[in-house]
Amino acid sequence: MTTVRDLQPVLTGTKVRLRPWTADDADVVYAACQDAEIQRWTTVPSPYTRADATGYVTTFAPQAWEKGDAVFAIVDAATGDPVGSIGAHGIRDGVAHVGYWTAAAARGRGLTSDALRTLARWCLREAGVARVELVVDPENRGSALVAEAAGFTAEGTLRQWLVVKDRRIDVVMYSLLPDDPAVKTP
Ligand SMILES: CC(C)(COP(=O)(O)OP(=O)(O)OC[C@H]1O[C@@H](n2cnc3c(N)ncnc32)[C@H](O)[C@@H]1OP(=O)(O)O)[C@@H](O)C(=O)NCCC(=O)NCCS
């Protein structure tokens, strides 16, 4: 049986391409992850060192694929530049859990919502996933809008569900299913 690990596909959205990370991307990841918003809302190490970036693209991401997860660089299709990261974890269990960040300079152009829509459709249409989910801090309005723009449904609040930067927080759970309009429509 062909597995996600064998596929490592390049996915094509409207505004972005999603491709596996390469060692050459370490500088981009290092620069992007200095950003206060990425530091605040995600679980990336803080402070974020060059070794963290190198480890991410050369070890963490390839090992994720080995495990059957999928971790992609978000590439701006207009320029070919990598501008963010998006990953789906737990694909092998049928419930993929997605996380993402996008470099500050590339925000506000719909790149992340296109990346999320593209990844989720691939999970649900081609990778055997039954449910794609993600969780958002209720204060992270931008991330909630990304989920909604990609067609996800807010299911409710999970109390004290996640630890981010030593803080245990409530999260809003979002999901997308194979029969949802964002997946059914071409
Ligand atoms: C949240 C984040 C991924 C948004 O990336 P982005 O590329 O700017 O998102 P998009 O351009 O696809 O935005 C989708 C919609 O949300 C809106 N939006 C995005 N960020 C917003 C913000 N901070 N405030 C208000 N609206 C915002 C956009 O205007 C857009 O609206 P539209 O559909 O009406 O045009 C980015 O700000 C980021 O990386 N933040 C730090 C890391 C993070 O929070 N990750 C998610 C953890 S759950």
Side-chain angles (χ1 to χ4, degrees), residues 14-108:
T14 308
K15 299 177 178 178
V16 300
R17 279 194 308 279
L18 306 182
R19 61 152 171 84
W21 286 104
T22 71
D24 289 346
D25 297 319
D27 285 349
V28 168
V29 172
Y30 173 69
C33 289
Q34 304 308 313
D35 171 63
E37 296 291 302
I38 294 176
Q39 287 285 328
R40 177 179 180 191
W41 299 117
T42 76
T43 56
V44 301
S46 187
Y48 198 87
T49 66
R50 199 164 285 278
D52 290 324
T54 302
Y56 186 69
V57 295
T58 63
T59 306
F60 173 83
Q63 284 180 352
W65 285 100
E66 287 291 317
K67 283 193 306 186
D69 294 345
V71 177
F72 292 96
I74 302 171
V75 173
D76 182 346
T79 62
D81 295 333
V83 295
S85 187
I86 190 163
H89 304 271
I91 287 176
R92 63 203 171 282
D93 300 324
V95 178
H97 186 88
V98 174
Y100 44 77
W101 54 256
T102 292
R107 291 180 193 152

Side-chain angles (χ1 to χ4, degrees), residues 41-42 100-102 107-110 112-113 135 140 142-143 145-146:
W41 299 117
T42 76
Y100 44 77
W101 54 256
T102 292
R107 291 180 193 152
R109 291 193 282 128
T112 314
S113 42
V135 295
N140 190 349
S143 188
L145 289 169
V146 166

Side-chain angles (χ1 to χ4, degrees), residues 18 27-28 39 42 45 65 69 83 97 106 108 114 132 137 149-150 153 155 158-159 164 166 174 178 186:
L18 306 182
D27 285 349
V28 168
Q39 287 285 328
T42 76
W65 285 100
D69 294 345
V83 295
H97 186 88
D114 187 42
V132 179
D137 184 323
T153 297
E155 297 181 322
L158 306 182
R159 297 183 302 161
V164 181
D166 297 330
Y174 283 87

